[in-house]
Structure formats: C-alpha cells, structure tokens
Amino acid sequence: MWPFVSFVLPVVVGCEIDRFEPVGMALPPIEGTGDYEFASYEPLASKPLRVFFHVPRSTRDDSPVVIVMHGQNRDADAYRDTWIPLAETFGFVVAAPQFRDVFYAGSNGYALGNVFRDGENPSPETERDSSEWSYQWLEPLFDDIVARTPTEVETYQAWGHSAGAQFLHRFVMFISDARYDYVVAANAGWYTMPDDAVPFPYGLGDSPIEGGDRSFFSRDLIVHNGDNDDNPQSSSLRRTPEADEQGLHRLDRGAYFVEQSAQLAGDGPFAWAREVVPGVGHSQEGMAPVGARWLANMLEL
C-alpha cells in the first residue's frame, strides 16, 4: 500500500535541516522509469528540479535509495539511464535530480552550491541565506522518493561524477547532519579543501562554515578517480593557479584532496578515502558501475 503523506516544509537554521513531517495528503507513486517536477522545498520552490528516476519492480521496504548527481552538461536523464541496469542488479531506487542552468547558472549555481551570489568572489555582502543553497535539495528529495515508493529506508546514498562530484564533496562539508550513509565523488575536476586558511572556493576561508564544526571528517566520503583521467589539457578542466596547486589533472587532484584532508583532520576521526579505478578516464558510464558495486558492497547487498 502506498504511503499517504505530504510535507510541512522545513525551516533551515545554519547548516542543519528540520525534517519533513507527514500530515496526511497522498503523493502520486512513481514506478518504473520516468521523471517528474519537484518543487516541494519552499525556499527554492520557484527554481524546481526535474527528477529522473528508476524504481525496479523488485523494490522492497529495505531497498536503498541512491541519489545520482549529473555533471556540468546537466544531463540527469543520461545519468539515470546509466544507472538503470545497476539499479536492477543491486535493487537500488535511483533518483537523478536535474539542476537546470536557467535556475542554477554555471558552476556557482550548481557545483559551488549557490552559497554566494558569486562564489568565485565571495564576500559577506553576497552570501546567500543557507536556505537558498543548492545543497539543501537532497534531503527533501530523499523524503519525497521514500513517500512515493515502497522503500522505507531512513538513510540514502549519493554518487556524482565530475561537476556532480564537486557538488557532493562540498555537500558533505556544508550540510552537517544530512542523512546519507555513503557519498561517492567520482572524477571531480577540483576541490574545496577543508582548510580555513584557503579562501573559498578553493578552501573554507571566508565561507559560512569557516571555523565551524569539522565532524564531516567522520562521515563516509569516498573519492573515485579513473586512472586514465590524467589529461592536463582536458577541455573542461579548470586551470587556475589555485586549482593547479592541487595537481595538473583530475587524477592527481583527487590524491591531493584526500591526502591533505587527512593531514588537516589531525588526530581526529577521518573516514574519507580514495580508490583509483583502472582503465577508466573521464566517463560517467565507466565510473558508475564501480560506484554501484562499491555501494552494494558497503551496504552488504
């Protein structure tokens, strides 16, 4: 029987999210493969997401939810399509939200989280209220997916490639109490270091979470890098002095991010890790099966 719920929209305080409350209205169920408009997060309701999904017929009350984050081409439908056979193999419910450029323009609106009006030149005057961050969409999306499908899980998983990996590694830092178990960031082009001494967007200096809680080091973030994603002349690769300090290509930058982050965590908990994927370059189709198998293994599916 489908759940009968709707949502009281959340009040966002700082970097924490108050949960949706069910109040008794039916939401249309989703099944199979399709898409729908999602605008049930009130602070950004005028900038809705298009959600591309796949819900296997075998979905049960314990089926994991995987949120799949697209790259800079905003091709969430293609990412969803890549994950359809993986969803069928491992029993995932897959949701791939599309952050349309008309609402979330450029890297600032998407990969940098819409934290500032111009994330490349942040200032206190241009800092947005935390309720407007793009990162805030993932929690209400998870609640919506659970409300529309047979699964009743209380946590989700997330996987992103390229710009989607950029979005997710920052999401881990900026949304401190998100209900994910594992985040997989594959082939990000460059990183925001968890370092207050480095100004945003290359570090957390001058950001809303500068000097804040570093409990995110204890959350499970895995960086996946294809060993062939090592072209310093890749057309979409950022080449600035700050980015090049992390390495000259994505493969080296992934190593730099995890190794330097471990040093910054000091003697405290550190659950971030990195794996190199042999024989794969900058390809979401090549990286997705590895991410899916890794998640399935961690979830003991």
Side-chain angles (χ1 to χ4, degrees):
M1 181 176 179
W2 296 105
F4 283 79
V5 298
S6 88
F7 300 130
V8 173
L9 295 167
V11 177
V12 180
V13 181
C15 300
E16 297 186 353
I17 303 172
D18 288 345
R19 307 304 175 206
F20 289 118
E21 300 282 343
V23 297
M25 183 186 299
L27 286 172
I30 57 173
E31 55 188 4
T33 304
D35 60 275
Y36 67 97
E37 199 83 351
F38 180 53
S40 296
Y41 174 58
E42 192 276 334
L44 293 172
S46 64
K47 301 176 180 180
L49 306 183
R50 194 76 190 170
V51 179
F52 295 83
F53 64 83
H54 182 73
V55 183
R57 289 185 179 181
S58 60
T59 298
R60 308 177 308 187
D61 59 3
D62 61 349
S63 294
V65 173
V66 180
I67 297 176
V68 173
M69 304 300 296
H70 59 67
Q72 69 175 4
N73 291 335
R74 317 292 175 118
D75 50 347
D77 54 343
Y79 275 59
R80 183 273 318 273
D81 290 350
T82 296
W83 276 78
I84 289 175
L86 304 172
E88 293 291 341
T89 297
F90 298 112
F92 296 142
V93 173
V94 170
Q98 183 185 48
F99 286 77
R100 287 168 287 196
D101 196 65
V102 66
F103 297 136
Y104 302 95
S107 62
N108 184 69
Y110 177 46
L112 293 179
N114 208 40
V115 174
F116 294 92
R117 291 184 177 86
D118 179 4
E120 303 289 350
N121 300 285
S123 69
E125 295 74 28
T126 61
E127 181 182 321
R128 296 185 189 274
D129 186 83
S130 62
S131 65
E132 299 180 65
W133 298 351
S134 304
Y135 307 130
Q136 302 286 12
W137 274 111
L138 268 60
E139 293 281 302
L141 173 59
F142 168 59
D143 287 325
D144 193 69
I145 293 297
V146 169
R148 293 175 185 269
T149 66
T151 189
E152 298 176 2
V153 293
E154 297 181 353
T155 57
Y156 58 94
Q157 322 309 317
W159 179 91
H161 182 263
S162 197
Q166 290 197 43
F167 179 102
L168 283 177
H169 88 275
R170 296 182 183 110
F171 165 79
V172 166
M173 293 185 277
F174 277 81
I175 306 299
S176 60
D177 67 339
R179 289 168 290 166
Y180 65 85
D181 295 310
Y182 302 104
V183 165
V184 182
N187 288 344
W190 59 284
Y191 298 85
T192 293
M193 302 301 300
D195 188 348
D196 290 340
V198 179
F200 191 83
Y202 297 97
L204 296 180
D206 302 322
S207 81
I209 61 171
E210 179 183 6
D213 176 38
R214 292 296 181 263
S215 61
F216 52 68
F217 281 133
S218 67
R219 304 297 303 274
D220 286 285
L221 168 64
I222 180 76
V223 171
H224 279 175
N225 289 124
D227 69 350
N228 290 336
D229 199 358
D230 59 354
N231 179 8
Q233 305 304 322
S234 176
S235 61
S236 60
L237 184 66
R238 177 176 289 222
R239 296 300 307 270
T240 63
E242 297 89 345
D244 285 353
E245 187 174 337
Q246 300 175 8
L248 297 183
H249 48 69
R250 295 182 184 91
L251 183 61
D252 281 355
R253 290 176 183 181
Y256 179 90
F257 172 67
V258 175
E259 291 167 6
Q260 292 296 311
S261 295
Q263 293 185 27
L264 290 164
D267 295 329
F270 187 71
W272 298 3
R274 175 176 179 260
E275 292 184 6
V276 175
V277 180
V280 181
H282 196 66
S283 165
Q284 64 97 357
E285 296 94 339
M287 297 297 287
V290 178
R293 286 193 296 270
W294 188 89
L295 287 171
N297 181 62
M298 298 304 293
L299 296 170
E300 299 183 344
L301 299 179

